[in-house]
Amino acid sequence: MKIYLMRHGETEYNRVGRLQGQSDIPLNEFGIQLAEKTAEGLKSVNFDAVFSSPLQRALETARIVTGSRDVKVETDERLKEIHFGAGEGARFDEAKKDEAHPVHNFFCNPGCYVPKGDAETFEQVRARGRSFLEDKIFPLEAKFAAEGTATDGTAIDGTAFHGRGNGNVLIVAHGAFNRCILNQIAGIPDREFWKINLPNCAVSIFSLEGGELRILEASRVYYGTPVNGRP
């Protein structure tokens, strides 16, 4: 079974360097184009299940990539971006310069990031990510294996493969949320939170076998020059 964990396309907040969090910002025109190019790159993958954050930038990306496939896009609140509370809408450059800013450490010293007010910690995001995987994804391994799902997809080296498999799942979420999942699986500590470059529409590919997730590729883009990989 393969899991394709994707970040949404570009928004205006991404373009100008503003913190989005759970603010519901739509894709901009370039973001739509990135999603369309990614859809083209993934056109040979038969997705047997598709999940998305309910925030419109992720949901629109999921719908573009899903295209005409006969599969429903299921939204799940647990896939939302990390919540920054009063820090949402902050400009990256201003927060980085001001050590007293509530999200300064999120950018500059993530190992010491302590959210203020109702903002979320990294562990809270990881917890809801684990809850989603245990509830929605892990049970699919046995289900797809029992059904003998036929899959058509693209191997990691770019060659096509065709045959019997255990299903492909697309999950469309957000930059910080996806990093929380990737970093946990890769054993990357919070102090190195930004280690993996994760541009808009980057797709991280995992295998799931025997209940164990393994990273096959951490951040693949299907368009030209990657954008907004790190704040």
Side-chain angles (χ1 to χ4, degrees), residues 5-51:
L5 178 64
M6 181 179 177
R7 186 185 175 199
H8 60 78
E10 188 188 74
T11 70
E12 280 304 295
Y13 270 32
N14 289 147
R15 188 182 69 81
V16 301
R18 293 177 71 109
L19 207 56
Q20 293 178 111
Q22 294 187 5
S23 300
D24 203 4
I25 312 300
L27 297 179
N28 60 21
E29 285 301 316
F30 184 55
I32 293 171
Q33 292 173 21
L34 296 184
E36 290 172 344
K37 289 178 181 178
T38 305
E40 177 66 19
L42 293 170
K43 66 181 180 180
S44 62
V45 181
N46 176 39
F47 292 118
D48 301 285
V50 179
F51 298 91

Side-chain angles (χ1 to χ4, degrees), residues 43-192:
K43 66 181 180 180
S44 62
V45 181
N46 176 39
F47 292 118
D48 301 285
V50 179
F51 298 91
S52 174
S53 158
L55 296 175
Q56 59 182 317
R57 60 190 184 270
L59 184 55
E60 186 174 5
T61 300
R63 287 171 173 162
I64 291 171
V65 174
T66 301
S68 61
R69 294 175 179 85
D70 185 21
V71 59
K72 175 186 175 183
V73 179
E74 180 178 341
T75 60
D76 195 296
E77 293 286 322
R78 291 169 291 188
L79 296 176
K80 281 185 175 181
E81 180 61 299
I82 187 173
H83 181 45
F84 293 106
E88 296 198 0
R91 290 189 174 275
F92 298 172
D93 54 356
E94 294 175 359
K96 289 178 182 179
K97 292 175 184 176
D98 181 5
E99 292 185 3
H101 196 286
V103 292
H104 172 81
N105 281 344
F106 174 76
F107 293 114
C108 301
N109 191 9
C112 295
Y113 175 56
V114 178
K116 301 184 185 303
D118 62 348
E120 284 184 297
T121 65
F122 292 132
E123 181 51 38
Q124 286 174 315
V125 179
R126 286 192 289 265
R128 56 182 168 89
R130 287 193 299 268
S131 173
F132 168 78
L133 291 171
E134 291 168 359
D135 181 34
K136 295 290 187 177
I137 302 303
F138 291 168
L140 291 178
E141 183 185 8
K143 177 179 183 292
F144 290 156
E147 293 175 352
T149 305
T151 63
D152 295 315
T154 303
I156 298 305
D157 63 1
T159 60
F161 68 89
H162 306 280
R164 308 300 291 182
N166 289 333
N168 296 309
V169 177
L170 174 66
I171 303 170
V172 183
H174 306 268
F177 177 91
N178 288 9
R179 278 189 177 89
C180 283
I181 299 296
L182 279 165
N183 290 350
Q184 184 172 30
I185 295 169
I188 297 172
D190 288 344
R191 67 177 181 274
E192 299 177 34

